[in-house]
Amino acid sequence: MAKPEWLQNPWKQNPWFESVAVAQERARKRLPQPVYGALVAGSERGQSAGDNQSAFAELGLQPVVAGQQAERSQATTLWGQEISQPVVISPTGVQAVHPDGEVAVARAAHSRGTLMGLSNFASKSVEEVTGTGARTFFQMYWTGERDIMLHRMQRAQDAGALGLIATTDWSFSMGRDWGSPEIPEKVDLKTMVRFAPRVATKPRWLWTFGRTGTIPDLTAPNLAPPGGAVGPTFFGAYYEWMTTTPPSWEDIAWMCAQWKQISGGKPFVLKGVSRVDDALRAVEAGVDSISVSNHGGNNLDGTPAAIRMVKPIADRVGDQVEVVVDGGVRRGSDVVKAVALGARAVLIGRAYLWGLAANGEQGVGNVLDILRTGVDSGLRGMGVSSIHDLRPEHLLVPDGFHRTLGDVPAPSPGRRAAPASA
């Protein structure tokens, strides 16, 4: 006889949540403090992480009282793919908040008709993730020798990745004012004993892993060397990054060209652009898309909110490359505001990780559904039938909201702007 459901999972609660804020609260209650701390942390005082969210609240929407559209569409194309909504999964590393990790996230993205970004610091291999059927874009940092990077590109291509996302803005700032969350080198018996007092207070999280017979995996399988079966630990990967010379713009152009050759011309996305002059350089380097981002506030603290930098960059290069934005998106209205300012779509990170922690694959799908519903409400309220019709004029933008970094003179008619000198 099958066990009653409450015996199979004595901590079961209504799995559905109505907002990303509720998903975050459930994640906070479910996860051990060091794990939750790693999800919410921003570098230094957290100024950029905070501004990523608060900046959206400075933007208003202009509603109509009649004439709303009965049919509204969120469908668009991004990176050569048709997607059902302008929200895609941003690559984040070591998703140890749930035993299924990136596989669960990929399944949710696939079921909702959108794209999956997979970090090379992920806890699941690119082969496992593409095996779900999810349309996957593989993310790489500039780490290791060039032959190692070529190996990783080839592996992603062989696994069926549809594009490459290059992230080069990472600085791995550890100086958080409230203290950095402790990340163990690996999870072994000694580590489990040391963390036991903090983990024992979170029985739901323990139950989730216990029923699968697994423990959180802090290795990075996508960084395994050629012919190697096991990837390095998180800190092993960090050491490789730390000892790699930062890339030049010539290196970015090389990376882009190599991926195009290996993949037969699949999209190359540069993530972490904050400046107009860098956006222009990216165009010159041959990229297909740029993500306006401050690395979720985990990079150079004091960088403006990503949403503040979207319009100045989109105005200059949006007709040459696809512009997306990531950082601080928590509601469908945030998505509406980003698209109105010139973003093709938004990438989400913390929002879906909280959903993953709260309820696995269904929790990630729940987050995507919340954002979809919020976008639809925004379109209806403003009398807009399609996200493609959104314009800055649909917003109330306070004076001084936008931040234009690295500005260079716009080109004269018939002339092309040259990238600013380094």
Side-chain angles (χ1 to χ4, degrees):
M1 180 181 295
K3 291 181 179 180
E5 187 175 15
W6 68 272
L7 278 178
Q8 296 178 42
N9 186 349
W11 297 285
K12 187 174 179 61
Q13 63 179 350
N14 181 4
W16 184 83
F17 42 84
E18 64 181 10
S19 70
V20 173
V22 173
Q24 180 180 359
E25 179 60 14
R26 290 193 183 179
R28 185 190 67 79
K29 291 180 178 180
R30 182 182 293 263
L31 297 174
Q33 191 281 326
V35 180
Y36 179 73
L39 294 186
V40 298
S43 62
E44 296 186 339
R45 72 178 63 183
Q47 177 179 339
S48 293
D51 195 31
N52 274 347
Q53 292 188 66
S54 61
F56 278 107
E58 296 179 27
L59 297 169
L61 304 177
Q62 301 194 43
V64 298
V65 71
Q68 294 94 338
Q69 302 299 308
E71 296 183 2
R72 299 167 296 279
S73 173
Q74 299 183 38
T76 189
T77 59
L78 179 69
W79 305 337
Q81 301 292 315
E82 295 182 1
I83 54 177
S84 63
Q85 62 186 116
V87 179
V88 300
I89 298 296
S90 184
T92 62
V94 193
Q95 294 177 11
V97 300
H98 190 277
D100 293 335
E102 294 84 0
V103 169
V105 177
R107 288 172 177 157
H110 181 57
S111 69
R112 267 51 175 197
T114 193
L115 308 179
M116 170 71 183
L118 179 69
S119 172
N120 65 355
F121 285 177
S123 61
K124 303 294 183 182
S125 71
V126 63
E127 291 82 6
E128 289 178 277
V129 171
T130 56
T132 66
R135 292 174 289 171
T136 304
F137 283 70
F138 186 69
Q139 179 261 0
M140 282 181 55
Y141 290 95
W142 180 266
T143 61
E145 300 296 330
R146 286 192 173 194
D147 59 339
I148 295 296
M149 286 186 260
L150 289 173
H151 163 73
R152 291 169 184 160
M153 292 184 207
Q154 186 63 59
R155 179 179 174 183
Q157 166 63 15
D158 293 344
L162 298 177
L164 193 73
I165 303 172
T167 303
T168 62
D169 68 330
W170 193 36
S171 66
F172 203 81
S173 175
M174 294 290 290
R176 298 184 173 99
D177 287 4
W178 52 89
S180 297
E182 183 179 2
I183 302 174
E185 173 71 11
K186 60 182 178 179
V187 180
D188 53 15
L189 180 60
K190 181 179 179 181
T191 301
M192 288 189 285
V193 169
R194 183 160 57 87
F195 277 81
R198 284 172 281 183
V199 174
T201 61
K202 304 296 181 179
R204 292 179 182 174
W205 189 71
L206 281 176
W207 176 270
T208 302
F209 279 92
R211 68 184 181 182
T212 65
T214 61
I215 60 176
D217 188 359
L218 301 183
T219 61
N222 296 310
L223 295 179
V230 180
T233 64
F234 177 83
F235 284 101
Y238 170 61
Y239 178 78
E240 181 184 79
W241 168 81
M242 186 174 62
T243 55
T244 302
T245 302
S248 65
W249 279 106
E250 288 74 18
D251 292 326
I252 299 296
W254 173 85
M255 194 178 193
C256 179
Q258 293 301 312
W259 168 250
K260 295 283 189 179
Q261 181 176 347
I262 288 171
S263 68
K266 291 178 181 177
F268 182 95
V269 184
L270 182 63
K271 188 173 183 293
V273 177
S274 297
R275 300 167 56 98
V276 171
D277 51 359
D278 280 349
L280 292 168
R281 290 186 181 103
V283 172
E284 291 290 324
V287 311
D288 301 290
S289 176
I290 58 174
S291 179
V292 179
S293 170
N294 59 26
H295 213 105
N298 278 296
N299 186 25
L300 185 63
D301 197 31
T303 304
I307 190 63
R308 298 187 189 278
M309 302 181 287
V310 167
K311 190 175 186 299
I313 290 175
D315 284 350
R316 293 300 301 274
V317 301
D319 60 343
Q320 300 174 74
V321 295
E322 291 181 325
V323 176
V324 298
V325 62
D326 73 86
V329 173
R330 303 289 185 268
R331 303 162 188 84
S333 59
D334 297 339
V335 180
V336 168
K337 294 168 183 177
V339 174
L341 291 178
R344 187 78 170 182
V346 304
L347 279 65
I348 59 170
R350 289 183 177 93
Y352 79 78
L353 289 174
W354 292 326
L356 178 66
N359 194 30
E361 176 185 339
Q362 289 72 32
V364 179
N366 196 158
V367 166
L368 290 170
D369 291 343
I370 288 167
L371 296 177
R372 171 185 285 280
T373 301
V375 171
D376 186 68
S377 295
L379 295 179
R380 175 171 178 150
M382 294 188 293
V384 179
S385 62
S386 169
I387 59 164
H388 295 290
D389 297 330
L390 290 169
R391 298 290 183 272
E393 293 74 27
H394 289 106
L395 308 181
L396 294 171
V397 184
D399 292 341
F401 176 82
H402 302 298
R403 301 290 189 272
T404 305
L405 310 184
D407 196 16
V408 296
S412 301
R415 296 186 61 188
R416 193 177 186 185
S421 59

